[in-house]
Amino acid sequence: MNFLRGVMGGQTAGPQPSGAETIQKLCDRVASSTLLEDRRGAVRALKSLSKKYRMEVGTQAMDHLINILQTDRSDSEILGYALDTLYNVISNDEEEEQDESEDENAQKQADDLATQFTEKFIEDPEHITLVLTLLEEFDFHVRWPCVKLLTALLKIQGVQVQGIILVSPMGVSRLMDLLADSREVIRNDGLLLLQQLTKGNAAIQKIVAFENAFERLLDIITEEGSSDGGIVVEDCLLLLLNLLKNNSSNQNFFKEGSYIQRMKPWFEVGDDNSGWSAQKVTNLHLMLQLVRVMVSPVNSPGATASCQKCMYQCGLLQQLCTILMATGVPADILTETINTVSEVIRGSQVNQDYFASVNAPSNPPRPAIVVLLMSMVNERQPFVLRCAVLYCFQCFLCKNQKGQGEIVATLLPSTIDANSISAGQLLCGGLFSTDSLSNWCAAVALAHALQDNLTQKEQLLRVQLATSLGKPPVSLLQQCTNILSQGDKIVRRGSKVQTRVGLLMLLCTWISNCPIAVTHFLHNQDNVPFLTAQISENLGEDERLVQGLCALLLGICIYYNDNSLENYTKEKLKQLIEKRIGKENFVEKLGFITKHELYSRAALKPQPVFPSPEQMLFDHEFTRLVKELEGLITKAVQKSSEEDKKEEEVKKTLEQHDNIVTQYKELIREQDAQIQELKEKVASMTTQTEQLQATVSQQQSQIQQHKDQYNLIKLKLGKENQSQSNNQGDSQVNGLQTEELSQLREELEELRRQQTLLQTQLSEKDALIDSLKSSAQAAEAPAGGSDNAELFQEVEALKNQVQSHLAEIGQLKTERLELLRRAEAGSSSTAPPGDKSSDAAKAALESRLAAQTSEMERLKEGRSELEEQLASATSTVAILQTEKSKLQTEVQESKKEQDDLLMLLADQDQKIHSLKQKLKDLGETVEDEDDIDARDQTSDEEDEDED
């Protein structure tokens, strides 16, 4: 302990040991002491020396300190000292940075030292796992140093530490528990730790989000006072941005969890907006950025549209528009709010319609769009604010043809109101002002009102401008070209190139894909000579961009030319380029656009963000137009007249072949329809056959029942005859004869019913044969032959069934005769001779037998009639077989005709393929057969809907 007192400042005799020697002795004491108190004192001493002797402590004591963390888990005090010492060694402490000189080399050495010790600590991933395990200790002196140490490790070696924590069991969950700690210091430092942990790692971001991070963070923001809160709110917002930015999974989880609705109260601003604190401005700025992350143009369109819809439904968009029109809002917050509203309404028709209805609280009320445009064309407004307003106007018109029409309508003569300021008037005023930035912004804004909207391009040609008293009005298109040709003659504030670039972008957007606008542009005799002169001149570096845009404008006049002006047809314009400029020179000047450094910067994202007004030259949508047209214009200019003629011939030939193919397709469709009809007929006939089969099975069951009844009667008669032979009484004989006669009558009645049933069935089968005959005559399809064969087989089966029924009738007749003989034999054996009563009975019986015999004759005649009907059915079957052979012959002829059609189609397809290949070699766009079929199918569906 005396040694420790010397180290801690006690007076000792003799020379003082150096820092390295002292640290070495302390490390030995930590490693060799058996008493916990001695080890604790040595670690406390190392902590006190760790800032001054950072390198020595880190080099000699790190392994001993890690060993302390592993072995002395039961003592929270020594754990706290060890963790604090490791933190001092690894991190660049702020006080140390303030004490050190501002020499860059010294700072670099400190950073290298921190990196070296961090790499040494994380060489074994178990060290990170050990610190994560210590986080479970609730003791403040252990938990807080663990949080600080992990934060320092993540700052220095973030990717490696993130990987270790990601694979560590319950690693992220332990860190998330810090947000629930009741001690604010640990909770706040836990926020900083999670910020470092979630930087650039999507997997960890997802785990943190699903650990209920959104709920906890929003609760903390609410508890701390939302936008009026302190630094803790800022830390929560930064963590939310880390979790949501460029992470579609977390964004969807945030939306589905109804957390967007909880953002609305953040933007409730009172009437008194004076005296905003710097922290409130920072918090609100981050909150607006959080809204923009959810609706960023780089997100998937579906996710963005869903978030936009949710923001409108919960009232968040309305709240943002309230801030937009409020007074006293700081300029940077107003700028960020405009950018946020822009992305919330971008491409969403419902949100755009709502924004168009927002009015500023002025007298008289003015639309918010008009108020914003007034700021855009006002050169006194801040540059970033004017850029934000331009972005808002672009987003309002994005995929909004209704809004485009409303803006252009404010320029038309029939809708101009002299007593109010409209958006069109402000755009024209900015377009022709003496401020170059206003010229550029107004030109780009007007170009967005025409983007992908042929109707508005044609409508804008009607706009007339009054230049001065006594002179006739000129069109807006002519006025733009006039200003462009005057160039340096007009005195302007700012870059002159900026004005010309803006006007050229407007003209290119206006006349592209609009032959009527091209005709109006070429109708002015001065435009083409001006463009050729600009392109052919050798100008400075700044003017190269103007030359490239002039070449693009002239190329659009060639590509979208409908040859309605005789002096400026496609061929004459190409000849003019070849004589005055040269094709190679023209293509080279056209390439100046995409080679410009500001072009690639503008092509990255839709929002116009420029460091200075002079660099504001390109618009994002215009870069897309250039990318689309550059190759087309180059091919159009380089083509010769012969190639154009060949191309026209190939197009005509292709059209002819397309017509032929269309005719064959229609023929095939008709045949398919006929085949479908025949298939339906076959299906109906199959159903009828099944019904007949069911009838036959029912008849078979009835016949079986009759057989069973006959067998029972036969058995009863046998038993009664046997008993009759044993009895001798007259009364018994007469009674037996009477009973037998009644049974015979019943059998006769049963035979009559069976005969009637068979005649009915035979008539039904005749009707069926007639229906099959008519169906066979109507069938014309190849598929009918096989079905007719089945029907013939069914007729043969019915014929066999009728024959079996006749055989059964004959058998029943034979059995009846046998019964009659047995009855006569029984009566003769039992009747006594000379008895008058018995003679009378015998006579009566004989008369009855005679009547039954006549009945049997009638049954035979009915049988002969049935046989005649069966013969007629057989002849009908023969006729059907003849018709079947005819149908088979027609099927063979139809197959042969179809094969010929297929061969012809194959030849036509081969010719079409070769012609399309020629067109592709010439650089023309050719539609595939899938596109043609899709268009045909669409037209067929429309025709069906109309029917």
Side-chain angles (χ1 to χ4, degrees):
M1 296 302 293
N2 292 333
F3 170 74
L4 291 177
R5 292 190 190 97
V7 173
M8 300 301 293
Q11 297 295 327
T12 59
Q16 296 291 330
S18 64
E21 294 173 352
T22 304
I23 293 169
Q24 181 62 45
K25 291 178 181 180
L26 291 173
C27 291
D28 293 340
R29 179 63 59 87
V30 171
S32 59
S33 295
T34 57
L35 294 176
L36 179 60
E37 184 179 354
D38 291 344
R39 294 197 301 275
R40 187 190 302 124
V43 175
R44 182 168 60 245
L46 286 172
K47 174 188 173 184
S48 64
L49 296 172
S50 60
K51 292 185 178 181
K52 185 175 181 181
Y53 298 100
R54 181 181 178 188
M55 179 180 290
E56 291 79 1
V57 174
T59 305
Q60 301 180 32
M62 181 173 288
D63 294 335
H64 300 294
L65 295 172
I66 294 173
N67 189 49
I68 289 292
L69 298 179
Q70 294 172 340
T71 57
D72 292 329
R73 292 283 301 274
S74 59
D75 187 68
S76 60
E77 189 175 356
I78 193 172
L79 289 177
Y81 292 148
L83 291 168
D84 283 333
T85 306
L86 288 172
Y87 172 74
N88 292 337
V89 168
I90 290 175
S91 68
N92 290 324
D93 196 271
E94 295 180 358
E95 294 180 359
E96 182 183 357
E97 292 177 1
Q98 292 176 357
D99 294 340
E100 289 179 351
S101 64
E102 296 181 357
D103 187 9
E104 294 181 358
N105 292 329
Q107 182 63 37
K108 184 178 179 181
Q109 290 177 0
D111 294 339
D112 293 342
L113 198 61
T115 303
Q116 176 185 347
F117 288 143
T118 301
E119 291 176 351
K120 182 179 179 181
F121 185 81
I122 66 175
E123 278 180 357
D124 188 357
E126 290 297 325
H127 297 164
I128 300 294
T129 306
L130 177 62
V131 179
L132 291 172
T133 306
L134 293 175
L135 275 176
E136 295 180 352
E137 297 289 337
F138 187 73
D139 193 296
F140 179 82
H141 297 289
V142 178
R143 204 172 201 188
W144 189 37
C146 284
V147 174
K148 294 194 296 181
L149 176 60
L150 286 172
T151 305
L153 292 171
L154 285 166
K155 285 181 179 179
I156 299 168
Q157 291 290 341
V159 178
Q160 291 85 344
V161 178
Q162 284 175 342
I164 297 171
I165 294 175
L166 185 60
V167 299
S168 177
M170 300 296 292
V172 178
S173 298
R174 291 191 182 104
L175 299 178
M176 285 299 300
D177 291 339
L178 298 174
L179 297 181
D181 200 304
S182 59
R183 295 160 292 192
E184 290 190 2
V185 176
I186 295 179
R187 184 198 68 183
N188 297 343
D189 283 353
L191 288 171
L192 300 176
L193 170 60
L194 289 172
Q195 284 181 28
Q196 298 297 326
L197 179 67
T198 54
K199 280 185 177 179
N201 193 309
I204 293 180
Q205 290 169 1
K206 292 178 183 179
I207 296 173
V208 171
F210 283 98
E211 288 284 347
N212 206 21
F214 294 140
E215 185 75 30
R216 296 182 185 182
L217 292 173
L218 292 175
D219 289 342
I220 294 173
I221 292 173
T222 304
E223 292 171 3
E224 295 292 329
S226 297
S227 60
D228 293 324
I231 189 69
V232 178
V233 174
E234 179 182 350
D235 292 337
C236 291
L237 292 170
L238 289 172
L239 179 54
L240 284 172
L241 284 172
N242 282 353
L243 295 176
L244 294 174
K245 195 170 185 179
N246 299 325
N247 193 318
S248 57
S249 175
N250 283 2
Q251 290 173 5
N252 185 61
F253 182 63
F254 190 85
K255 180 184 70 68
E256 296 296 335
S258 300
Y259 296 119
I260 292 179
Q261 289 83 337
R262 297 186 60 178
M263 297 167 66
K264 180 190 174 185
W266 296 353
F267 304 102
E268 293 178 354
V269 179
D271 296 334
D272 186 12
N273 295 320
S274 59
W276 286 41
S277 64
Q279 187 62 54
K280 181 175 181 178
V281 171
T282 302
N283 291 344
L284 202 56
H285 196 275
L286 291 173
M287 290 172 178
L288 292 169
Q289 286 185 358
L290 196 61
V291 176
R292 293 185 65 184
V293 165
M294 297 299 297
V295 293
S296 174
V298 301
N299 297 343
S300 64
T304 300
S306 179
C307 291
Q308 289 172 334
K309 180 180 178 181
C310 182
M311 290 178 182
Y312 173 75
Q313 291 176 345
C314 73
L316 180 57
L317 175 60
Q318 293 84 329
Q319 204 67 45
L320 293 173
C321 291
T322 302
I323 298 177
L324 198 65
M325 296 292 103
T327 56
V329 179
D332 52 349
I333 293 298
L334 181 61
T335 302
E336 189 65 20
T337 303
I338 295 174
N339 289 327
T340 306
V341 171
S342 304
E343 294 182 351
V344 173
I345 68 174
R346 179 182 173 84
S348 174
Q349 187 65 52
V350 176
N351 293 5
Q352 289 167 341
D353 291 343
Y354 170 77
F355 183 71
S357 66
V358 175
N359 290 322
S362 60
N363 192 13
R366 290 175 178 170
I369 298 175
V370 173
V371 175
L372 292 175
L373 288 178
M374 291 172 67
S375 301
M376 185 186 74
V377 298
N378 187 355
E379 56 185 300
R380 297 179 181 178
Q381 294 292 338
F383 173 65
V384 291
L385 180 63
R386 299 173 74 180
C387 291
V389 173
L390 176 61
Y391 184 48
C392 184
F393 191 74
Q394 292 174 351
C395 292
F396 170 69
L397 297 178
C398 179
K399 300 178 182 179
N400 184 10
Q401 294 193 354
K402 177 182 176 183
Q404 290 175 327
E406 291 174 352
I407 296 298
V408 173
T410 59
L411 288 166
L412 299 178
S414 59
T415 59
I416 294 178
D417 186 1
N419 298 324
S420 62
I421 300 176
S422 65
Q425 294 173 356
L426 290 171
L427 291 176
C428 283
L431 194 62
F432 306 129
S433 71
T434 56
D435 177 34
S436 61
L437 184 59
S438 298
N439 299 153
W440 191 91
C441 291
V444 171
L446 197 55
H448 275 263
L450 306 175
Q451 194 76 37
D452 300 326
N453 196 327
L454 180 61
T455 302
Q456 303 311 321
K457 290 178 181 180
E458 296 175 357
Q459 287 292 322
L460 200 63
L461 295 172
R462 298 170 49 201
V463 177
Q464 300 289 323
L465 302 176
T467 54
S468 59
L469 294 175
K471 292 185 178 181
V474 297
S475 66
L476 178 61
L477 182 65
Q478 183 61 44
Q479 185 65 13
C480 291
T481 56
N482 291 341
I483 296 174
L484 191 62
S485 60
Q486 291 175 2
D488 300 336
K489 297 178 182 179
I490 302 176
V491 179
R492 300 183 185 278
R493 291 181 296 276
S495 173
K496 296 179 181 179
V497 175
Q498 191 174 42
T499 299
R500 301 172 72 186
V501 168
L503 289 172
L504 285 169
M505 287 195 300
L506 172 61
L507 291 173
C508 289
T509 305
W510 191 345
I511 70 173
S512 65
N513 200 23
C514 184
I516 297 177
V518 171
T519 303
H520 278 72
F521 180 80
L522 295 176
H523 190 71
N524 188 347
Q525 302 295 329
D526 299 330
N527 289 339
V528 174
F530 168 74
L531 293 177
T532 54
Q534 288 288 316
I535 299 169
S536 59
E537 289 181 1
N538 293 321
L539 303 176
E541 187 72 24
D542 295 338
E543 296 292 334
R544 282 189 173 184
L545 178 58
V546 176
Q547 287 184 312
L549 292 172
C550 289
L552 178 66
L553 184 59
L554 186 56
I556 292 173
C557 292
I558 294 174
Y559 188 76
Y560 292 107
N561 195 334
D562 58 359
N563 297 327
S564 58
L565 293 178
E566 184 178 356
N567 294 332
Y568 293 110
T569 61
K570 287 184 178 181
E571 187 60 32
K572 290 185 177 180
L573 287 175
K574 287 194 286 185
Q575 292 176 1
L576 183 64
I577 290 175
E578 189 172 1
K579 292 179 181 178
R580 299 280 183 87
I581 305 170
K583 291 183 179 180
E584 294 78 7
N585 191 24
F586 179 86
V587 174
E588 181 183 359
K589 297 293 178 67
L590 183 62
F592 286 163
I593 302 175
T594 54
K595 293 179 182 178
H596 201 281
E597 59 178 353
L598 297 178
Y599 174 88
S600 57
R601 185 183 301 176
L604 293 177
K605 55 183 179 180
Q607 183 180 1
V609 179
F610 303 97
S612 63
E614 291 76 17
Q615 296 185 4
M616 201 170 186
L617 290 179
F618 284 104
D619 173 57
H620 175 76
E621 291 296 329
F622 180 73
T623 60
R624 293 176 55 193
L625 181 66
V626 172
K627 185 178 179 181
E628 177 185 349
L629 293 179
E630 183 179 12
L632 299 176
I633 291 173
T634 302
K635 291 180 182 179
V637 171
Q638 291 179 343
K639 282 181 183 178
S640 62
S641 58
E642 295 180 356
E643 291 177 347
D644 288 338
K645 291 179 180 178
K646 290 181 180 179
E647 181 180 339
E648 293 294 332
E649 292 177 357
V650 171
K651 283 184 177 179
K652 291 180 180 179
T653 307
L654 268 180
E655 290 177 356
Q656 294 176 356
H657 286 290
D658 288 340
N659 293 332
I660 295 173
V661 171
T662 303
Q663 293 176 0
Y664 280 118
K665 285 183 178 180
E666 291 177 355
L667 178 61
I668 292 172
R669 288 194 188 96
E670 292 176 358
Q671 292 180 347
D672 288 340
Q674 293 175 359
I675 291 172
Q676 187 64 31
E677 291 178 359
L678 292 172
K679 285 182 178 179
E680 292 176 357
K681 291 180 180 179
V682 169
S684 64
M685 295 172 71
T686 304
T687 304
Q688 294 176 1
T689 303
E690 293 176 353
Q691 293 175 355
L692 291 174
Q693 289 177 351
T695 305
V696 169
S697 62
Q698 184 178 2
Q699 292 175 355
Q700 289 176 350
S701 64
Q702 292 176 357
I703 291 171
Q704 185 63 36
Q705 291 177 1
H706 294 322
K707 286 181 178 179
D708 294 340
Q709 293 175 1
Y710 172 74
N711 291 331
L712 289 173
I713 294 171
K714 184 177 180 181
L715 182 61
K716 287 180 180 179
L717 285 175
K719 290 179 180 181
E720 290 173 354
N721 290 333
Q722 185 177 1
S723 61
Q724 185 180 8
S725 62
N726 296 327
N727 294 327
Q728 299 297 326
D730 294 338
S731 60
Q732 293 177 352
V733 172
N734 293 333
L736 178 61
Q737 292 174 349
T738 305
E739 185 178 356
E740 288 179 352
L741 289 173
S742 64
Q743 290 178 356
L744 289 173
R745 290 191 191 96
E746 291 176 357
E747 289 178 8
L748 285 173
E749 292 297 330
E750 183 66 27
L751 289 173
R752 289 193 187 100
R753 286 196 297 269
Q754 289 181 3
Q755 182 183 11
T756 305
L757 179 62
L758 289 173
Q759 288 177 348
T760 304
Q761 291 176 356
L762 186 59
S763 62
E764 290 177 355
K765 290 175 176 54
D766 289 336
L768 176 62
I769 289 170
D770 294 334
S771 66
L772 291 176
K773 180 179 178 181
S774 61
S775 299
Q777 291 176 351
E780 297 178 0
S786 60
D787 293 328
N788 288 332
E790 294 177 359
L791 293 174
F792 294 145
Q793 294 176 2
E794 184 63 26
V795 170
E796 292 293 332
L798 293 174
K799 179 180 178 181
N800 294 332
Q801 290 175 5
V802 171
Q803 292 177 354
S804 65
H805 292 167
L806 294 175
E808 290 175 359
I809 291 172
Q811 183 180 0
L812 291 173
K813 289 180 179 180
T814 303
E815 290 175 352
R816 175 181 174 279
L817 293 174
E818 183 180 357
L819 289 173
L820 290 173
R821 286 195 299 270
R822 289 171 58 188
E824 290 175 356
S827 61
S828 62
S829 61
T830 54
D835 192 348
K836 294 180 180 181
S837 62
S838 61
D839 292 336
K842 183 177 179 180
L845 180 60
E846 287 176 353
S847 64
R848 291 176 183 175
L849 287 175
Q852 290 177 359
T853 303
S854 63
E855 185 68 23
M856 288 298 296
E857 292 297 327
R858 278 199 312 273
L859 288 175
K860 288 180 181 179
E861 292 175 358
R863 176 184 174 183
S864 62
E865 290 176 359
L866 288 174
E867 288 177 350
E868 290 176 358
Q869 291 176 359
L870 183 60
S872 64
T874 304
S875 63
T876 305
V877 169
I879 294 171
L880 288 175
Q881 288 178 348
T882 304
E883 291 175 352
K884 172 188 173 183
S885 62
K886 291 181 181 180
L887 287 173
Q888 288 178 345
T889 304
E890 291 176 359
V891 167
Q892 294 297 327
E893 292 176 356
S894 177
K895 286 184 179 179
K896 183 177 179 181
E897 182 182 358
Q898 190 172 8
D899 292 338
D900 295 337
L901 288 176
L902 290 175
M903 291 293 294
L904 184 57
L905 278 176
D907 294 338
Q908 294 297 332
D909 289 339
Q910 185 65 28
K911 292 179 182 179
I912 291 170
H913 179 73
S914 61
L915 291 172
K916 286 183 177 180
Q917 189 61 38
K918 290 180 181 180
L919 274 180
K920 289 181 179 178
D921 294 339
L922 293 173
E924 287 296 320
T925 303
V926 181
E927 291 184 347
D928 293 329
E929 292 181 359
D930 294 339
D931 298 333
I932 298 172
D933 292 340
R935 189 166 61 249
D936 293 340
Q937 185 175 0
T938 305
S939 62
D940 292 341
E941 292 175 354
E942 291 177 356
D943 295 338
E944 291 176 0
D945 294 338
E946 290 176 359
D947 294 338

